[in-house]
C-alpha cells in the first residue's frame, strides 16, 4: 500500500499559524457531535475542523467514491488514504473549489474551540501493552528491589492484558475517583473506599482498520496495513487497588474505571517523515515478531498538571514514543500469533512511555518514586504524590523537525471526588 505523503512545502489557503499541530501535512480525522445534527467526521486544518458532512451535502466529496461518513466505521487504511488525498486537494493553496466560495468556506470550516469531540472510534476491544521498557524497569526496581528490574520474558514477548473497552472515554470527560479494595501493608485485612493513589499512564494507542479473521495471523511486515492511525491514551490507574488485586492474573478494576483518548486519529502517512529504527532489541527476538525496517516513530510526549487552585498548568513530564521497546507492528503480530481475530475499531495502547531519566517518567508512581519524592507545583506551592480531586491532567503529543510539526492535540481529564 502506497502512503499518501503531503509534500513538505505544500500550503493551504486556510491560514495555519507556525507551531500549529495541524498543518496541511497532517490532516487527522475526528468525530464531533454537532448539536442537533448528530455525529459527523471532521478533519483538522490550522485552528479549524473541516466538516466532512457538509462537504458531502454540497457535493465536494463524492458519495459514490466514499461511503457516508457519520463515523469512521466504513474506513480501512486504503480508503482513509484516498479520503485524505481528496481533502488535501480541496485545502491546497492552488485549489479554488472551496477557497473562492465564501458561503461554503464559512460553513465547512468550524472553529476548533467549541467542538464536542467524541471517542474517534468507540473500541470493541481494548488491549493495554507494557512496551515502555524504562517504565517496566522502574516498576521492577520499586516493587522487586532484590531482583533484576525486568522479568526474564520482557525482551522476548510484548507483555499485555485485555482491558475494558466500554470505559474508553473522550478527552474532556471528567474522571470520578474510583473506589476499590485495598490493603495497607500493616493492616490486618483489606478495606473498601476511594483510591488514595490515583495515577495516570502516558501512552500512545493505535486503532485497527480492516481486521483479520480467526485462525489467521497478521505478520509484522503486513501489520501497518491494518493500522488506521494513532491517538494519545491516558490509562488512568488506581495504584493501591492495583497492588492488592494484580496477582496472579494482572490488573482488573484498578484500570477498568476509565481510559481517556485524544480526539484526532493521526495517520501513519502523516507520521511517515518521523519513522525511526527504534531501540536495539537484544537478544534477537523470535522470527514471528521480528522487526522489519523502521517501525517506530519519533513522537514527543508531554504531561501537564493543573490543580484547582492553579491558573496555568505545569509541565511535569517530557518523554518520547521512541522509548517503546516493542513497535505497534510487533504488538499486532504478537496479538494475532495465536490466531485470535482482530476487528475494525480494536484499540491497542502501548504501555506507559517513560524516558530513562527523572522528568521523563510517564506516571505519578515513577515521578514521585512511589510517593517518596513529592512533586511541587510551582505556582501555588502545593505538593503531589498522586492526583488529587480537582486536578486536570493533560497529555500532548507531536512529531517535529525542520519546521514540520505533526500534532495530536491534547488528551485531558479532570479528577472528580468519589461518589
Ligand atoms: Mn497502562
Amino acid at each position: 500500500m502506497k502512503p499518501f505523503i503531503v509534500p513538505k512545502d505544500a500550503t493551504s489557503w486556510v491560514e495555519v499559524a507556525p507551531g500549529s499541530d495541524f498543518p496541511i501535512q497532517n490532516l487527522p480525522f475526528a468525530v464531533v457531535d454537532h448539536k442537533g445534527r448528530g455525529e459527523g467526521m471532521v478533519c483538522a486544518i490550522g485552528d479549524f475542523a473541516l466538516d466532512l458532512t457538509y462537504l458531502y451535502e454540497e457535493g465536494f466529496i463524492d458519495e459514490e467514491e466514499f461511503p457516508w461518513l457519520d463515523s469512521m466505521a466504513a474506513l480501512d487504511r486504503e480508503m482513509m488514504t484516498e479520503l485524505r488525498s481528496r481533502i488535501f486537494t480541496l485545502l491546497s493553496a492552488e485549489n479554488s473549489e472551496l477557497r473562492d466560495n465564501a458561503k461554503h468556506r464559512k460553513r465547512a470550516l468550524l472553529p476548533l474551540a467549541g467542538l464536542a469531540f467524541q471517542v474517534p472510534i468507540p473500541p470493541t476491544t481494548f488491549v493495554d501493552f507494557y512496551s515502555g521498557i524504562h517504565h517496566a524497569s522502574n516498576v521492577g526496581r520499586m516493587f522487586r528491589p532484590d531482583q533484576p528490574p525486568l522479568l526474564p520474558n520482557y525482551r522476548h514477548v510484548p507483555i499485555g492484558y485485555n482491558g475494558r473497552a466500554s470505559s474508553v472515554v473522550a478527552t474532556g470527560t471528567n474522571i470520578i475517583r474510583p473506589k476499590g479494595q485495598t490493603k495497607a501493608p500493616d493492616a490486618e485485612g483489606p478495606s473498601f473506599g476511594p483510591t488514595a493513589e490515583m495515577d495516570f499512564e502516558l501512552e500512545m494507542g493505535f486503532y485497527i482498520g480492516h481486521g483479520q479473521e480467526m485462525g489467521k495471523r497478521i505478520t509484522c511486515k503486513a501489520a501497518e496495513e491494518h493500522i488506521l492511525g494513532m491517538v494519545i491514551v491516558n490509562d488512568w490507574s488506581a495504584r493501591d487497588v492495583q497492588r492488592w488485586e494484580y496477582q496472579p492474573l494482572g490488573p482488573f478494576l484498578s484500570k477498568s474505571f476509565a481510559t481517556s483518548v485524544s480526539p484526532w486519529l493521526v495517520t501513519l502517512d502523516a507520521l511517515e517523515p518521523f519513522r525511526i529504527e527504534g531501540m536495539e532489541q537484544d537478544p534477537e527476538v523470535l522470527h514471528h515478531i521480528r522487526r522489519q525496517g523502521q517501525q517506530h516513530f519519533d513522537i514527543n510526549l508531554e504531561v501537564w498538571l493543573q490543580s484547582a487552585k492553579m491558573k496555568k498548568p505545569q509541565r511535569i513530564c517530557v518523554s518520547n514514543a521512541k522509548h517503546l521497546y516493542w513497535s505497534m507492528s510487533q504488538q499486532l503480530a504478537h496479538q494475532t500469533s495465536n490466531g485470535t481475530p482482530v476487528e475494525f475499531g480494536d484499540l491497542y495502547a502501548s504501555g506507559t512511555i517513560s524516558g530513562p531519566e527523572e522528568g521523563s517518567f510517564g506516571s505519578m508512581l515513577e515521578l514521585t518514586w512511589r510517593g517518596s519524592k513529592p512533586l511541587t507545583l510551582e505556582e501555588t506551592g502545593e505538593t503531589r504524590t498522586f492526583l488529587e480531586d480537582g486536578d486536570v491532567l493533560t497529555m500532548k503529543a507531536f512529531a517535529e523537525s525542520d519546521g514540520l510539526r505533526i500534532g495530536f492535540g491534547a488528551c485531558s481529564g479532570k479528577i472528580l471526588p468519589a461518589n
Side-chain angles (χ1 to χ4, degrees), residues 270-413:
L271 291 166
E272 196 64 41
F274 301 96
R275 273 186 192 282
I276 50 172
E277 195 77 35
M279 66 177 75
E280 193 196 348
Q281 292 195 306
D282 183 25
E284 189 170 49
V285 304
L286 292 179
H287 184 262
H288 70 294
I289 49 172
R290 198 166 296 162
R291 231 157 43 185
Q292 310 273 332
Q294 297 187 314
Q295 294 185 323
H296 284 268
F297 294 90
D298 179 359
I299 303 170
N300 302 294
L301 308 171
E302 297 179 350
V303 182
W304 297 71
L305 175 60
Q306 182 173 4
S307 73
K309 289 183 187 160
M310 291 162 74
K311 292 191 173 69
K312 279 188 195 155
Q314 175 175 326
R315 194 170 67 183
I316 59 170
C317 161
V318 176
S319 186
N320 190 296
K322 72 183 177 191
H323 298 306
L324 290 168
Y325 193 76
W326 300 98
S327 70
M328 296 181 284
S329 296
Q330 290 179 302
Q331 290 168 345
L332 191 52
H334 174 60
Q335 173 76 49
T336 59
S337 63
N338 68 348
T340 195
V342 294
E343 291 176 354
F344 171 86
D346 284 2
L347 175 63
Y348 294 91
S350 60
T352 308
I353 310 175
S354 294
E357 67 281 307
E358 278 185 54
S360 68
F361 297 163
S363 66
M364 294 297 281
L365 178 74
E366 297 162 88
L367 286 168
T368 70
W369 210 254
R370 222 179 160 178
S372 67
K373 299 185 200 170
L375 271 182
T376 300
L377 302 174
E378 305 296 340
E379 189 188 319
T380 56
E382 295 168 278
T383 57
R384 286 289 179 277
T385 48
F386 290 93
L387 299 173
E388 303 286 336
D389 294 343
D391 286 356
V392 176
L393 202 286
T394 301
M395 295 174 177
K396 297 178 183 174
F398 57 95
E400 195 168 37
S401 82
D402 295 336
L404 173 64
R405 180 177 170 115
I406 301 295
F408 286 73
C411 179
S412 202

Side-chain angles (χ1 to χ4, degrees), residues 128-130 135 161 201 203 235 237 255 349 351-352:
D128 193 31
F129 282 101
Y130 194 57
H135 170 73
Y161 69 94
E201 289 193 335
E203 307 196 13
D235 180 29
S237 301
K255 305 275 189 174
T352 308

Side-chain angles (χ1 to χ4, degrees), residues 151-363:
L151 291 169
N153 58 6
Y154 191 84
R155 291 173 188 270
H156 294 282
V157 54
I159 303 299
Y161 69 94
N162 288 301
R164 190 151 182 89
S166 61
S167 55
V168 172
V169 295
T171 184
T173 304
N174 291 330
I175 307 299
I176 299 166
R177 179 177 296 272
K179 290 180 179 170
Q181 197 181 114
T182 58
K183 186 187 164 297
D186 51 353
E188 255 181 51
S191 55
F192 180 76
T195 176
E197 298 185 9
M198 180 71 184
D199 203 353
F200 65 88
E201 289 193 335
L202 170 63
E203 307 196 13
M204 297 296 290
F206 66 89
Y207 273 108
I208 294 293
H210 77 270
Q212 180 63 284
E213 64 188 271
M214 195 163 177
K216 294 188 174 173
R217 68 192 177 99
I218 295 173
T219 63
C220 208
K221 196 172 176 189
E224 285 190 1
E225 289 171 28
H226 296 264
I227 296 175
L228 209 48
M230 294 177 72
V231 292
I232 307 167
V233 177
N234 182 351
D235 180 29
W236 302 99
S237 301
R239 297 296 178 198
D240 44 2
V241 179
Q242 184 176 355
R243 206 159 46 238
W244 176 234
E245 75 173 2
Y246 86 102
Q247 285 175 319
L249 286 186
F252 189 44
L253 302 187
S254 56
K255 305 275 189 174
S256 62
F257 58 95
T259 304
S260 301
V261 292
S262 59
W264 298 103
L265 194 72
V266 175
T267 62
L268 299 191
D269 289 5
L271 291 166
E272 196 64 41
F274 301 96
R275 273 186 192 282
I276 50 172
E277 195 77 35
M279 66 177 75
E280 193 196 348
Q281 292 195 306
D282 183 25
E284 189 170 49
V285 304
L286 292 179
H287 184 262
H288 70 294
I289 49 172
R290 198 166 296 162
R291 231 157 43 185
Q292 310 273 332
Q294 297 187 314
Q295 294 185 323
H296 284 268
F297 294 90
D298 179 359
I299 303 170
N300 302 294
L301 308 171
E302 297 179 350
V303 182
W304 297 71
L305 175 60
Q306 182 173 4
S307 73
K309 289 183 187 160
M310 291 162 74
K311 292 191 173 69
K312 279 188 195 155
Q314 175 175 326
R315 194 170 67 183
I316 59 170
C317 161
V318 176
S319 186
N320 190 296
K322 72 183 177 191
H323 298 306
L324 290 168
Y325 193 76
W326 300 98
S327 70
M328 296 181 284
S329 296
Q330 290 179 302
Q331 290 168 345
L332 191 52
H334 174 60
Q335 173 76 49
T336 59
S337 63
N338 68 348
T340 195
V342 294
E343 291 176 354
F344 171 86
D346 284 2
L347 175 63
Y348 294 91
S350 60
T352 308
I353 310 175
S354 294
E357 67 281 307
E358 278 185 54
S360 68
F361 297 163
S363 66

